Amino acid sequence: MDPGTAVAVATLSAKVLSTIWKYYENVEGAQRDIKLLANELEDFDHLMQKFQGLVENNSKLPVAASLDARIKQALSYLKTLESRLNPGTGVKAMRRVGRRALIWPFTKNEVEQWVARFQRLKETANLALNTDQISLIVDLEAKTTQLKQRQEAEEQERQLAKLPLAVDAAFNSYRHQHETLCIENTRVKLLQQHREWGVGHARPLYWLSGMAGTGKSTIARTLAHYFHSIGTLGGSFFFSRSSGEANNAVNFVGTLARHLANISPQLKRSVCEAISTHEDVTRQGLRNQWKELILAPLSNTQSRNRIKLNFVIDALDECGSDDEIRLILQLCVEVKGVKEVDLGVFVTSRPEIAIRLGFEAIPDIIHQKLDLRDVPRHVVEQDLLVLLKHEFSRISIQHKLPYWPRHEDIRSLVRQSDCLFIYATTACRYIGELDWDPEERLSEVLTGHPARGGNTAGLDSMYMQVLTSSLIIGRSEAEIIKMCDRFKQTVGSIVILFDELSISGLAGLLGMLKKSVEPSLCRLHSVLNISKDMELPIRLLHPSFRDFLLDQSRCSDERFCVNRGMKHEELAKHCLRVMSKGLKRNMGHLTTPGSPPEDAERARLNTELPEHVQYACQYWVDHLEGIRADTGAKHSIPDNAVIQSFFQKDFLHWLEAMSLMAKTSQAVLMITRLGDLLKPGSKSTLRAMIADARRFILSNRGIIEKAPLQTYASALVFCPKESFVRHYYLDQMPAWLIRPPAIQNRWGNCIQTLEMDFEAPRCPPLAFSSDGKYIATILRTGEIQMWKIATGAVHSTLEHYEPGIAAFKFLRNGTLASMYYDGTVRLFDQITGVLCRIIERPARDDDLQTIGLDDPQPSLSILPDGDLATLVPNKDIWVWSWGRDSWSKRSIPGITFSRLHGSLSDGTLVGGVSLGDGESIELVLFDPRTNAVQSLEPDLPAKHEAVAISPHDVIAWGTRGRTIELYDADTRSLSKLEGNSIYYFTALTFSPDGRSLISGDTKRSLLLWDLSTEAESLVDTPSDVVYSAAFSPGGQHMAAISRFERTIQLFEFPTNDLSNSGESQRAKISSIDVSPDGQQVVVTFYFEPMIQIYNTESGALEHSLLGHSADVRAVAFSDDSALLASYSGDETIRLWGLQSGACRKIVSGFPGLTGVVILAFSPNRKHLVSGTEEGKILILDAESGVLYHVFELSSVVGATTFSVDGRRIACATVDGDVGDRVIGVWDTSTGKLLHDVGASEYREDLKVAISPNGKYLSYSLGDTAVLIYDMTSKESRDLPMFQNNLTSLAFSRDSKSLATCTYGGEIKLWDVASAQLLGVSPIEAVVYRLSFPTDGTFLESDLGHIPIRREQVYSSSDSSAPHGKVTSAASAIDESAYTKESILLPTKYDDPTLAGTMDASSPLGIPLAHLPGQSRISDTADLVPKYLAAKPSVIARLDPGANDNLLLVMPAS
């Protein structure tokens, strides 16, 4: 339709309508008819105006044909009306005769006819217009749907790109495009059998085995092609020893998951959801990957009919290690548990021992197998005959040789092939080469002299024939020597390489010209796959050629035979040379130190880091290992000087390169394996370098992995002073770092921190595997998670079974035994994670189900003879005998065991007996043979917090008496360990030799006790209380687990000598507090009575406060930063002047000064409050130290706060029982209790605040809510919807708003009067202190200013109530500054407990110890902490006695 027509109709209708209304005003006697026509025409005009706008805004409007005709008709009608209303005279006539002389030109009938005409036009137009608008809407919705689908597809591809993928491992990959399928009429019965299995899956696992060259891969490829053609191929993975991405299991699950995602949109969504939900799954072990990326998506499939799918896995024997092969087989078995999909796995391999044993362990009902050696010889020979006829037919056509070859020659070649398909195919390639006479070459093959002995004799003869013809025949002696040398240099390297290289890459690695490499390979097309494109990889046509060249007994001609050890040594030197020349700083051209490796432009990176340099970076250590493997030497590294030079010049560049290639975890293993090549016990510079390099990587792996350039920033800045790495690369440190932090002299004992996916349950068990390679603990989800010690990566997460795991132990044979809350014991293979056996629970009493999952009592121990002792929920001890294969009960009438700790060497059990008061537990020895019971605490039964048993039958336990008791079972003597700590012991563990004891306590310290001298020393100060600790079987490692930090710290004692823990024995900072005005920092130390005060501007030490006789345990500033109060283990409080450093007053002698845990000044500095472990609250005069009042709570004082005027104080306990006073509010002048607020829920970390107007009290309730208590009406309201524990809360200055923050990093703003939510903001960090400044435009926090935008975000019934929206703290920071120069923080500096009070508006920046460290960062967008200032900021160094370090970040003035 022409838009001009619609515009003309709209314009003319308006004109005609105007004329009609003029008649209405000036003509009498016809107003009714005029108005009737005018109204109808006005309706039509409105419709036309609307249609005009629609046409003008939508030029491609699909107008209906009927509407087009009606619009043209309307234009004709309007023209007729215009003509009748203005019969030639128009306005001039009106002016001449006057308006009153006008005569209405239509009769009543005519008006009705015109009205009817326009009504019909209007109806048709409305109908067509609605149709067109619907069409527009549908079109818009279609476009919106397409946009959403495109966005969803892009997001899915983004998620799938995270999967580790071996591109060449697919059966139809570019690499395999020239590899043939089974020729028609060959392998007929075999293929039919396999196809029938793929349709029915009588057994889910099928194993086809056969010797090298028997055609396994061709069968697998043919079968995969068939499954793909009928739509049942779920995925394929063709292992290859010569492919770096397909010669191990690293990419196995990711590749199959990627293939699976291409099956259907439903599976793609499921796989992508799994990747998105479990972001780190690709970095976890194969079992976890298989569970989340394969089994879970398949289990979520919904279909009317059960879908049939097949996985095809070829050459499993070419997968990396025997452990990986075992694990893959067990994973394949698990497909039987998928009910929604009928999945089968087809596997081919050589009959290697590891694979045979693996299949023998799988029940026959699950798998079926076929050995190609069992196929009748005449069947194989018939297939070979068909194959040779097919190939010779092709050759005869190419060479124009009709009637060639003779049938007898083909038969002879069949016999000479000896049932090896690789022999036949290699012969055909050799004979059919275009530059040679096929008749002559066939004659050579048939008349050749086969090697003697072995089932590869014929194949060996074939390979020898190929090499002789290509390199020897027709050449002079000098040419032969040159060709054979070049052959060993190039092809000898190809068969040794751990990954395939192109001609360009091989030339670069060997230091040769490309034009020199190509002639060495051009005549070997019958054994090598060589592309015309020099950038494509050179590949062996069959792995048997490698086996032939490397075996001197098979390749008898020394001119061709490759010496494996010598070639590895050559390649190792080439790799080191290549890295020395090719590595440099910032090869990825990253723009900032915090840029992730993904920001590197791939094309540019491949130029800076070409193929041969990447190969050298990944495999130089493998080649060094290859020397030892071939020579049989236990320890050997050639040319130490070259390797030392690498560590001195190229080590950091190598780490950067490995990060850019996403191989940082591999770098950890490489350096560890390099150290293993050195002779044990040898003390050399190289050994020290390797050890230092290993610690450097382990300590900084997470940072380097996520930001390659932090290798030269964070990793180097925090490297110890005496580190080789720091010494050699000091010039690489950031030039913009004005004052580096003080750092320790040497590496500590903590080598790495393992992060748990979930918070651990209370007192989680911790154990090393029997071989010391893995460490495991229980997650709150009820699953056991295992980590690899070498890399820190998650190895596996064992399947969860109800009602959850209560305890577990590693047995001596490597099996993991887990005990569940119902008493059932399950045994798992520690390598594969497969459930091996279920030992049913020993009793079926009704009370077995009465214990909750948080109850720590059910326990499991291993007896000296290997039997299992369990304490089941009904309080009975049961022993499982492997010999009798049954349970036996061990119990004494009248005695109820509360827990079982283990056994002595004679089988005597060590357990706890409850005394019935719910608190006290008596530690006893129980002899199950005689039922004799001996108490170890006859005088003072107590609630012991931790128990350990040494290999020499010494029992240690810590009590609430703050000592460690020792009982020697051999001498039956008791002794005590008494140290400086007065805190409860939470974990104890003996070293394997029984000479030392490690303890963890509520002071958050790990102590080492020398049992011969009873001396204690500090091993480490974890950021959270250690609840479990364990030594590895060899004593080389010790692990400690912190519940709330969700971390396991791993310590290493390389010499197994715990008497010298090195740097970590020195005094450690216990607290860092910043004065409210930001001018001074107060530092206290573990086990030291000294307090040090530093100036934040200059970093200078201003005062050392001396006077306490024991370690300082609490400090507090007055609001005006004039006074400092300190409490010490000497049970005194001292008041200090911050400016002078002088002690003004000593407070002592009061009964309530024992165990003070909290100190605080009132806002007016009139009062000082102290809270104790016993629940006593003392109100003191802040100037004179006079005691005003003593208040009491039911338990340890956990929080205190004053009102703004200082007249009221609120105090809270941390673990009050039902009915106890949990929160009290007192008048500070009279000591009168004003409010007694009870709460029934257990809170370990309760927060409390009083509003400025003194009307409201706010505190946290349980784990998920905050309560506002009106102290006038005594009514309370809940603020719900908290997903994590509260970390801070604060009232606004006008008492109308309340701000809260949780561990989840979410700030919420509430209206106090209505308890309505005003705003929410995720800040991706944890805030521990909040306050409102005077103007109320932002929140002050320990992480800086958090702005509040004054805009209404929630309707409130109180119109005067303030409304605000909390925005992220990041929005208050100029990101352009920190991205230019920035340092990521190591995990060990992520300790929120070390930061003190701080005024965020002060000139002071953020204390390092309080910044969100690397362990809290989960998204790559947050790699650079936004709170670490950059140039022109100053990083100040504070050096408290050179014993420890403190780092402050200060904005430049």
Side-chain angles (χ1 to χ4, degrees), residues 388 391-392 394-395 423-433:
L388 291 173
E391 290 299 311
F392 281 133
R394 177 181 57 80
I395 295 171
Y423 181 99
T425 54
T426 303
C428 289
R429 292 192 194 99
Y430 175 68
I431 295 168
E433 287 187 4

Side-chain angles (χ1 to χ4, degrees), residues 301-374:
T301 301
Q302 297 178 354
S303 177
R304 292 182 178 180
N305 300 317
R306 194 174 182 221
I307 300 174
K308 291 185 182 296
L309 290 176
N310 295 280
F311 284 151
V312 177
I313 303 170
D314 180 56
L316 181 59
D317 54 285
E318 297 193 30
C319 175
S321 67
D322 289 349
D323 284 346
E324 288 183 337
I325 290 173
R326 283 180 55 203
L327 180 54
I328 287 175
L329 290 178
Q330 291 296 338
L331 296 179
C332 292
V333 169
E334 294 181 6
V335 302
K336 71 181 190 307
V338 181
K339 306 301 181 184
E340 293 75 13
V341 176
D342 181 9
L343 179 62
V345 182
F346 184 85
V347 180
T348 74
S349 76
R350 299 184 189 183
E352 305 290 357
I353 294 176
I355 300 178
R356 291 206 315 270
L357 293 177
F359 274 104
E360 287 175 5
I362 300 173
D364 291 339
I365 60 172
I366 296 177
H367 85 282
Q368 62 188 95
K369 60 184 179 181
L370 174 64
D371 193 331
L372 290 175
R373 292 174 294 184
D374 297 333

Side-chain angles (χ1 to χ4, degrees), residues 271-454:
V271 172
C272 291
E273 287 172 3
I275 301 170
S276 177
T277 304
H278 308 278
E279 292 185 355
D280 63 338
V281 69
T282 57
R283 298 190 296 272
Q284 295 182 2
L286 289 185
R287 169 162 294 281
N288 286 16
Q289 291 185 35
W290 187 262
K291 175 183 176 182
E292 302 298 344
L293 300 177
I294 302 296
L295 298 184
L298 290 174
S299 299
N300 294 333
T301 301
Q302 297 178 354
S303 177
R304 292 182 178 180
N305 300 317
R306 194 174 182 221
I307 300 174
K308 291 185 182 296
L309 290 176
N310 295 280
F311 284 151
V312 177
I313 303 170
D314 180 56
L316 181 59
D317 54 285
E318 297 193 30
C319 175
S321 67
D322 289 349
D323 284 346
E324 288 183 337
I325 290 173
R326 283 180 55 203
L327 180 54
I328 287 175
L329 290 178
Q330 291 296 338
L331 296 179
C332 292
V333 169
E334 294 181 6
V335 302
K336 71 181 190 307
V338 181
K339 306 301 181 184
E340 293 75 13
V341 176
D342 181 9
L343 179 62
V345 182
F346 184 85
V347 180
T348 74
S349 76
R350 299 184 189 183
E352 305 290 357
I353 294 176
I355 300 178
R356 291 206 315 270
L357 293 177
F359 274 104
E360 287 175 5
I362 300 173
D364 291 339
I365 60 172
I366 296 177
H367 85 282
Q368 62 188 95
K369 60 184 179 181
L370 174 64
D371 193 331
L372 290 175
R373 292 174 294 184
D374 297 333
V375 178
R377 186 178 185 89
H378 72 275
V379 174
V380 178
E381 289 185 344
Q382 178 60 35
D383 291 338
L384 283 169
L385 181 63
V386 174
L387 168 65
L388 291 173
K389 285 182 177 181
H390 177 274
E391 290 299 311
F392 281 133
S393 174
R394 177 181 57 80
I395 295 171
S396 67
I397 294 173
Q398 286 180 338
H399 290 267
K400 300 179 180 179
L401 296 173
Y403 311 112
W404 177 89
R406 297 182 306 161
H407 185 71
E408 292 79 6
D409 291 341
I410 297 178
R411 284 287 185 183
S412 297
L413 193 54
V414 168
R415 290 191 296 271
Q416 197 157 328
S417 296
D418 195 25
C419 293
L420 293 177
F421 280 81
I422 186 58
Y423 181 99
T425 54
T426 303
C428 289
R429 292 192 194 99
Y430 175 68
I431 295 168
E433 287 187 4
L434 293 177
D435 295 335
W436 296 89
D437 182 0
E439 293 180 304
E440 181 180 338
R441 285 207 159 181
L442 176 58
S443 177
E444 291 176 6
V445 172
L446 294 178
T447 59
H449 301 286
R452 296 180 178 178

Side-chain angles (χ1 to χ4, degrees), residues 482-774:
K482 183 178 180 180
M483 288 299 296
C484 290
D485 287 345
R486 189 65 58 83
F487 170 82
K488 283 191 174 183
Q489 189 176 11
T490 55
V491 179
S493 297
I494 291 171
V495 299
I496 289 292
L497 292 177
F498 293 98
D499 198 1
E500 297 160 342
L501 291 175
S502 65
I503 291 178
S504 298
L506 183 64
L509 181 64
L510 300 180
M512 300 173 62
L513 297 175
K514 287 187 282 188
K515 63 180 182 180
S516 299
V517 173
E518 192 176 14
S520 306
L521 309 176
C522 64
R523 296 196 177 191
L524 297 172
H525 286 273
S526 54
V527 289
L528 297 177
N529 186 349
I530 306 167
S531 174
K532 293 181 180 179
D533 187 344
M534 286 190 160
E535 305 305 319
L536 292 179
I538 308 164
R539 296 188 173 108
L540 301 177
L541 288 173
H542 196 271
S544 59
F545 183 56
R546 174 192 292 107
D547 300 337
F548 165 74
L549 290 179
L550 296 177
D551 190 340
Q552 192 172 3
S553 65
R554 295 176 59 185
C555 183
S556 56
D557 193 331
E558 63 179 14
R559 294 174 298 181
F560 306 139
C561 188
V562 178
N563 185 302
R564 191 192 305 262
M566 290 178 60
K567 185 54 65 177
H568 275 301
E569 184 173 353
E570 289 177 14
L571 289 172
K573 292 178 179 179
H574 283 309
C575 288
L576 290 166
R577 173 187 52 79
V578 163
M579 289 190 293
S580 177
K581 291 185 176 181
L583 296 179
K584 61 181 180 180
R585 183 167 177 164
N586 199 6
M587 290 164 284
H589 294 273
L590 298 173
T591 56
T592 71
S595 298
E598 293 80 12
D599 286 359
E601 190 178 325
R602 288 295 107 182
R604 196 171 185 180
L605 179 61
N606 290 335
T607 301
E608 295 284 354
L609 204 60
E611 177 188 13
H612 64 286
V613 180
Q614 293 190 33
Y615 178 90
C617 289
Q618 294 183 67
Y619 297 109
W620 64 278
V621 174
D622 295 79
H623 286 300
L624 289 173
E625 284 182 322
I627 303 171
R628 183 181 68 176
D630 186 67
T631 61
K634 293 183 178 178
H635 310 280
S636 64
I637 292 184
D639 201 349
N640 288 357
V642 177
I643 300 177
Q644 287 186 29
S645 177
F646 163 79
F647 282 110
Q648 293 170 358
K649 299 177 180 179
D650 305 310
F651 175 63
L652 292 192
H653 302 152
W654 173 68
L655 284 182
E656 179 198 336
M658 294 296 280
S659 176
L660 289 169
M661 293 186 291
K663 302 289 184 181
T664 307
S665 292
Q666 182 178 327
V668 179
L669 286 175
M670 289 174 67
I671 296 299
T672 302
R673 287 157 44 208
L674 182 65
D676 293 340
L677 295 177
L678 295 174
K679 185 177 180 180
S682 64
K683 295 183 179 179
S684 64
T685 302
L686 180 58
R687 174 176 289 280
M689 284 181 171
I690 293 173
D692 188 65
R694 175 173 172 270
R695 292 302 304 273
F696 186 87
I697 302 177
L698 286 173
S699 298
N700 300 286
R701 183 193 61 184
I703 290 175
I704 296 173
E705 193 171 44
K706 296 180 179 179
L709 294 185
Q710 288 295 318
T711 307
Y712 314 97
S714 173
L716 202 53
V717 166
F718 292 101
C719 191
K721 295 177 182 177
E722 298 179 9
S723 165
F724 280 98
V725 176
R726 186 182 186 89
H727 173 71
Y728 289 122
Y729 297 93
L730 197 60
D731 61 333
Q732 297 287 318
M733 289 183 66
W736 45 265
L737 185 62
I738 300 175
R739 281 180 286 181
I743 39 86
Q744 60 190 4
N745 289 329
R746 295 180 293 275
W747 294 107
N749 289 322
C750 182
I751 58 173
Q752 60 180 317
T753 300
L754 311 178
E755 299 184 24
M756 294 184 286
D757 295 335
F758 306 97
E759 182 179 292
R762 183 156 54 102
C763 300
L766 187 68
F768 283 88
S769 61
S770 56
D771 58 7
K773 293 182 178 180
Y774 306 98

